[in-house]
Amino acid sequence: MKYHLKKNIEIALISAIKQGKIPNVNIPKIRVERTKNKVYGDFASNIAMTLAKTTSINPFKIASIIVKAIPKTDVIDKIDIAGQGFINFTLSSDSKLQVVKCILATKDNFGKSYVGKGKCIQVEFVSANPTGPLHVGHGRSAVYGSIISNLLETIGFKVHREYYVNDSGRQVNILAISVWLRYLDVCGENIIFPSSAYRGKYVIDIAKILHANYGDEFFYSTLEIFTDISFEQPDDSNGDVYIDDLIEKAKQLLGQSEYRKIFDLCLNTILLDISDDLSDFGSYYDEWFSELSLIESGAVNKAIKKLKCANVLYQKDGAWWFKSTDFGDEKDRVVVRDNGQTTYFASDIAYHLNKFQRGFDEVINIWGSDHHGYIPRIKASLAVMNQDESRLKVLLVQFAVLYRGGDKVVMSTRSGEFVTLRELREEIGKDAARFFYVMHSAEQHMDFDLELTKLKNKDNPVYYVQYAHARICRVFRRLADSDLIWNRTIGETNLGKLVESHERDLLTMLARYPEILEFAALKHMPHILAHFLTDLSGAFHTYYNAHNFIINDTKLSQARLTLVVAVRQVIANGLTIMGISTLESM
RNA sequence: GCGUCUGUAGCUUAGUUGGAUAGAGCAUCAGUUUCCGAAACUGAAGGUCACGGGUUCAAUUCCUGUCAGGCGCGCCA
């Protein structure tokens, strides 16, 4: 429709110029937009105002010249000039009704398009360290990433959803050592647990599994372990060194293959928990990509070689540094430590190179806002390796602060006092959690009130939308109770009877749905969809209260029922994209 | 301190390639069930768009300065 109107304006402009009514200037990009206020019709263009300066003609006059030259079609009912020179289009009643037939014909596919032209996009999201269960902070990324993926798929992109597993490096080793120490406890040793180890209850659970699977296979006495290891300072000032010493000692005592058994069990247990948690939450993945595999396959070393060849690495204090300051970073970054181990950053360089080599047209990373300082160095490394870094888009998600009533929920990993995503889901449900996470724009700091999400009224938008759907289902159950049926053919042929303002509003909203999807997907703004569904549901509830659908006037009744079926379809389609259940009754 | 994101009604917030009277919801106040589920609807009130400059036909939107807040600034990941 927009395209149709643009084309008509273009034709009008060209003919006006030919007739000499408007000077022959460069025609700016013609923009046609939905009006914000329905008194201005359905669509508006500001073309006259943008032309005013170059032609030095008053915009109102330009507008009237254009309007006169626009070809007549049966799609457009009338064209007005308003304000400082807006050209407002009102669509014909008949053309507005088409959307209902279109929805009924395409059903679940209504709203889908091929804007993406089948281009491949990789979306990496959450990628939390596999050192513990996901907490509520990860929830927002999980929802944001999965809905963006769904949106992109809906408008014709091929989407690859990926979780990057940081299964190498210190943190996972600390987890392994934490589990091992708890395991020794289970074996009967009395271990003083280091404060810099992971102290959550889940660590003990894994230790029990370890013991159940392997018995005392990994048992060593306290004496054997703690000899030659400096004591941990009570103020935790040497915690890092202490825990690293412990890791080394464990590897020594246990040997590589035994240590690996513990390590793998920890990792697999946690990963299984995370993947179950995410899929129960409605976020799904195509691939779980292992960081360790990059190191073991030599991909990391290859990437480092590339950087060396590009002459952007130098040695200092026994470590290898990447000159990222040459590419706008704040400081240079270490890629190989003085102990010969590669850093997380080195893996990430290899990982991003790998992503690019896999041939994705676009690569999207969804990161917590705490990683924003990390973007310049990754882009720098890609540029050095002759990759087009504009193919990488990093979307930052701000933190959500949890409230319970008016009180902030304090979270601290160390004390083990954090709310897990699973607990959140059990407390308020998947649907409410997803809706709340996504209803605000991602770059907005967000307050998430747990009490609010538990309300079962319109304070809680997820119920509001789900109720609209259930209410429509209810109407049809009621219809059946009265031994009546919905007749689509009669409904469709009588759509012209839908003349009430509530009905016109709904028709306009339904027609906007595909535009909303396209906009939300391309701009990576899933909250737009959430707001749209809330608005559509609101318009429906208003309509429901103002008019009856099951009435004696059969033709009007069938037309209304047909409209309402279309509304239900669009709500269902939208909720599906959001990963939220559609309910037939509540 | 430097970098970065944010600041819209009492609260939570839409408003995005600059457009017409800045939209919602909650809370407040006043109403709506013999009628498809009131988990709903109608109406009222509530705003110097943090503050000051600039750019132009037009600024909540772009630029700049100030103030306030979040986050980052490890040979952690």
Side-chain angles (χ1 to χ4, degrees):
Chain A
M1 185 55 69
K2 265 187 200 172
Y3 177 79
H4 177 81
L5 294 174
K6 278 185 197 171
K7 199 75 201 163
N8 277 335
I9 291 174
E10 198 183 336
I11 292 166
L13 264 174
I14 291 168
S15 84
I17 290 169
K18 267 189 192 157
Q19 292 172 34
K21 288 177 181 167
I22 294 175
N24 192 0
V25 293
N26 284 336
I27 299 176
K29 196 174 174 189
I30 297 170
R31 287 173 52 196
V32 173
E33 263 151 30
R34 289 269 177 194
T35 54
K36 284 181 183 164
N37 190 325
K38 63 183 171 187
V39 306
Y40 301 125
D42 297 302
F43 289 90
S45 179
N46 64 349
I47 185 72
M49 276 121 87
T50 52
L51 274 170
K53 199 175 180 188
T54 45
T55 57
S56 51
I57 304 176
N58 154 341
F60 208 84
K61 198 172 170 193
I62 298 175
S64 63
I65 294 168
I66 294 172
V67 169
K68 271 180 202 153
I70 288 178
K72 301 262 175 293
T73 68
D74 46 357
V75 176
I76 304 166
D77 200 33
K78 65 174 180 168
I79 308 173
D80 301 302
I81 303 166
Q84 305 98 306
F86 286 100
I87 302 173
N88 294 335
F89 299 89
T90 304
L91 301 184
S92 71
S93 175
D94 197 47
S95 70
K96 284 178 132 179
L97 299 171
Q98 293 308 313
V99 67
V100 174
K101 294 181 191 170
C102 181
I103 293 167
L104 264 52
T106 53
K107 295 195 168 132
D108 293 349
N109 290 321
F110 179 71
K112 288 189 185 167
S113 65
Y114 200 60
V115 177
K117 296 174 186 161
K119 282 191 191 168
C120 295
I121 299 189
Q122 187 221 31
V123 183
E124 182 216 322
F125 58 107
V126 183
S127 300
N129 274 344
T131 53
L134 297 176
H135 57 76
V136 288
H138 299 121
R140 199 174 186 188
S141 298
V143 175
Y144 188 63
S146 81
I147 300 181
I148 288 207
S149 301
N150 296 348
L151 278 167
L152 288 169
E153 213 161 62
T154 306
I155 67 160
F157 287 95
K158 226 173 151 284
V159 179
H160 188 82
R161 300 157 173 85
E162 188 157 311
Y163 189 114
Y164 181 53
V165 182
N166 297 128
D167 50 5
S168 166
R170 257 187 100 225
Q171 302 299 336
V172 272
N173 282 307
I174 295 176
L175 173 73
I177 208 78
S178 307
V179 168
W180 185 53
L181 293 173
R182 292 297 195 199
Y183 159 90
L184 295 172
D185 255 344
V186 176
C187 294
E189 278 295 289
N190 199 2
I191 301 288
I192 300 164
F193 203 70
S195 59
S196 45
Y198 287 104
R199 308 201 304 171
K201 188 184 158 289
Y202 64 93
V203 175
I204 299 171
D205 295 339
I206 301 172
K208 284 177 185 162
I209 296 171
L210 186 67
H211 190 259
N213 289 7
Y214 292 96
D216 288 349
E217 189 176 333
F218 311 115
F219 178 80
Y220 287 86
S221 70
T222 322
L223 198 69
E224 289 171 285
I225 298 163
F226 290 94
T227 353
D228 304 333
I229 291 197
S230 55
F231 284 106
E232 184 181 30
Q233 298 296 330
D235 64 355
D236 192 21
S237 59
N238 68 340
D240 281 355
V241 181
Y242 179 71
I243 202 95
D244 284 340
D245 286 351
L246 266 177
I247 291 169
E248 272 318 299
K249 192 61 181 272
K251 285 181 178 171
Q252 247 176 54
L253 285 174
L254 290 157
Q256 204 50 247
S257 72
E258 291 289 282
Y259 179 79
R260 188 67 182 252
K261 281 184 194 168
I262 300 175
F263 181 91
D264 285 346
L265 185 127
C266 293
L267 192 67
N268 292 335
T269 309
I270 299 259
L271 276 179
L272 189 67
D273 175 77
I274 289 177
S275 69
D276 283 352
D277 202 9
L278 285 170
S279 58
D280 288 347
F281 193 51
S283 297
Y284 305 98
Y285 287 90
D286 299 303
E287 184 167 354
W288 296 71
F289 192 100
S290 153
E291 178 189 359
L292 200 56
S293 75
L294 284 170
I295 295 170
E296 292 180 340
S297 73
V300 173
N301 284 330
K302 257 188 213 166
I304 291 170
K305 240 177 230 165
K306 275 196 173 218
L307 297 182
K308 277 185 185 162
C309 289
N311 209 17
V312 291
L313 292 191
Y314 64 91
Q315 231 172 345
K316 193 181 91 183
D317 304 330
W320 283 92
W321 297 71
F322 172 44
K323 278 198 277 189
S324 50
T325 43
D326 288 358
F327 305 89
D329 199 2
E330 290 172 13
K331 50 179 84 169
D332 293 343
R333 310 289 173 177
V334 171
V335 286
V336 185
R337 288 192 266 262
D338 57 4
N339 65 8
Q341 278 190 331
T342 53
T343 59
Y344 167 80
F345 177 46
S347 304
D348 228 10
I349 292 170
Y351 179 43
H352 281 84
L353 181 62
N354 172 287
K355 287 187 184 192
F356 274 49
Q357 287 170 341
R358 274 190 270 167
F360 296 112
D361 296 298
E362 197 176 309
V363 169
I364 295 178
N365 288 355
I366 293 170
W367 285 349
S369 62
D370 55 333
H371 281 63
H372 69 79
Y374 199 75
I375 301 170
R377 71 190 85 156
I378 282 291
K379 291 224 168 199
S381 73
L382 286 167
V384 167
M385 295 184 295
N386 294 317
Q387 303 295 321
D388 172 15
E389 83 259 27
S390 67
R391 272 161 63 201
L392 170 69
K393 291 212 173 74
V394 181
L395 307 179
L396 297 176
V397 178
Q398 297 288 334
F399 291 145
V401 181
L402 276 190
Y403 285 83
R404 192 179 292 281
D407 303 321
K408 195 168 171 174
V409 177
V410 186
M411 284 193 284
S412 145
T413 316
R414 181 154 287 201
S415 62
E417 193 189 317
F418 57 88
V419 182
T420 64
L421 187 59
R422 184 169 275 118
E423 284 163 359
L424 177 74
R425 211 176 58 239
E426 281 161 3
E427 185 170 342
I428 70 173
K430 175 198 81 163
D431 292 337
R434 285 185 77 90
F435 205 101
F436 265 78
Y437 271 125
V438 84
M439 64 191 275
H440 303 310
S441 62
E443 66 261 32
Q444 190 71 251
H445 305 280
M446 174 184 141
D447 291 335
F448 191 140
D449 193 330
L450 287 172
E451 297 305 317
L452 199 57
T453 60
K454 286 195 280 189
L455 295 176
K456 295 198 172 183
N457 55 35
K458 74 172 301 184
D459 299 10
N460 190 340
V462 68
Y463 281 96
Y464 191 69
V465 175
Q466 285 178 321
Y467 180 49
H469 186 274
R471 214 175 196 186
I472 295 170
C473 294
R474 173 70 186 172
V475 169
F476 285 89
R477 282 197 296 273
R478 189 70 197 200
L479 192 70
D481 289 348
S482 316
D483 289 327
L484 296 169
I485 53 159
W486 167 54
N487 185 313
R488 179 175 157 188
T489 315
I490 298 177
E492 286 189 348
T493 50
N494 288 288
L495 289 173
K497 291 186 177 292
L498 302 176
V499 294
E500 300 290 343
S501 69
H502 299 102
E503 291 160 347
R504 313 311 294 180
D505 291 349
L506 279 170
L507 289 169
T508 305
M509 295 185 91
L510 293 176
R512 283 182 58 207
Y513 177 68
E515 299 165 23
I516 293 285
L517 290 185
E518 184 180 330
F519 187 84
L522 293 177
K523 297 281 182 183
H524 313 304
M525 292 175 140
H527 73 278
I528 302 268
L529 177 59
H531 281 273
F532 171 79
L533 290 178
T534 310
D535 291 345
L536 177 62
S537 303
F540 167 75
H541 287 308
T542 301
Y543 180 41
Y544 180 95
N545 276 278
H547 300 285
N548 283 328
F549 312 147
I550 302 171
I551 48 176
N552 290 330
D553 180 341
T554 310
K555 287 179 178 174
L556 180 59
S557 179
Q558 291 296 341
R560 285 182 173 169
L561 290 169
T562 303
L563 171 63
V564 156
V565 168
V567 171
R568 180 175 62 183
Q569 183 71 58
V570 170
I571 291 176
N573 291 3
L575 285 178
T576 303
I577 290 171
M578 291 176 69
I580 293 173
S581 330
T582 53
L583 305 176
E584 307 221 331
S585 66
M586 327 181 30

